[in-house]
Amino acid sequence: QMKLVQSGGGLVQAGGSLRLSCAASGRPFEAYLMGWFRQAPGKEPEWVASISPSGGPTYYADSVKGRFAISRDNGNYSLYLEMNNLKPEDTALYYCASVIRRYIRGEMRFETGEYRGQGTQVTVSS
């Protein structure tokens, strides 16, 4: 079992920044493709960003590209999401998770894997 414990988040004005952290324990964190997902009230969960096990290739949803940055520190078993220029539509419950990558009709898709953090609320006021 890998346990993921999140910190960060909160309330920020539009245009502001927040940083989310996710601390891992248990299974070898460095072996997993990791990512961040979010779910707004009344909406389906949405993939936000993923990062390869080594911390090399990163992937972003179009809605956050250029504003969010995912990173990891395998030595400290940690995953991060730096969020800049936040918009009201970024308001959601954010959670870190291990990630499953699939190719559907030639398109790369990311899904929540077996391990998931407890979630942290991000609220962006206009």
Side-chain angles (χ1 to χ4, degrees):
Q1 287 279 9
M2 182 165 64
K3 185 177 180 182
L4 301 173
V5 178
Q6 297 178 224
S7 60
L11 174 65
V12 66
Q13 286 189 328
S17 299
L18 284 173
R19 189 191 200 205
L20 304 182
S21 299
C22 177
S25 61
R27 303 277 278 185
F29 172 71
E30 66 273 14
Y32 287 84
L33 177 67
M34 297 295 297
W36 292 92
F37 297 79
R38 66 188 182 186
Q39 186 168 17
K43 293 188 176 182
E44 292 293 315
E46 175 188 17
W47 167 72
V48 175
S50 296
I51 187 167
S52 66
S54 66
T58 55
Y59 311 89
Y60 297 93
D62 287 344
S63 58
V64 306
K65 201 171 294 183
R67 300 187 298 121
F68 290 14
I70 188 172
S71 61
R72 67 191 296 165
D73 181 347
N74 287 343
N76 286 310
Y77 309 104
S78 295
L79 177 73
Y80 306 100
L81 185 68
E82 189 76 37
M83 304 182 292
N84 298 308
N85 190 21
L86 282 158
K87 304 176 181 181
E89 52 264 42
D90 294 319
T91 295
L93 182 71
Y94 284 71
Y95 58 96
C96 59
S98 57
V99 172
I100 297 172
R101 176 168 45 191
R102 302 187 193 277
Y103 291 90
I104 300 175
R105 296 187 208 91
E107 189 173 322
M108 193 160 45
R109 299 286 177 90
F110 297 96
E111 301 174 358
T112 303
E114 60 184 312
Y115 304 112
R116 170 177 167 166
Q118 81 277 17
T120 186
Q121 181 67 35
V122 171
T123 302
V124 185
S125 63
S126 57

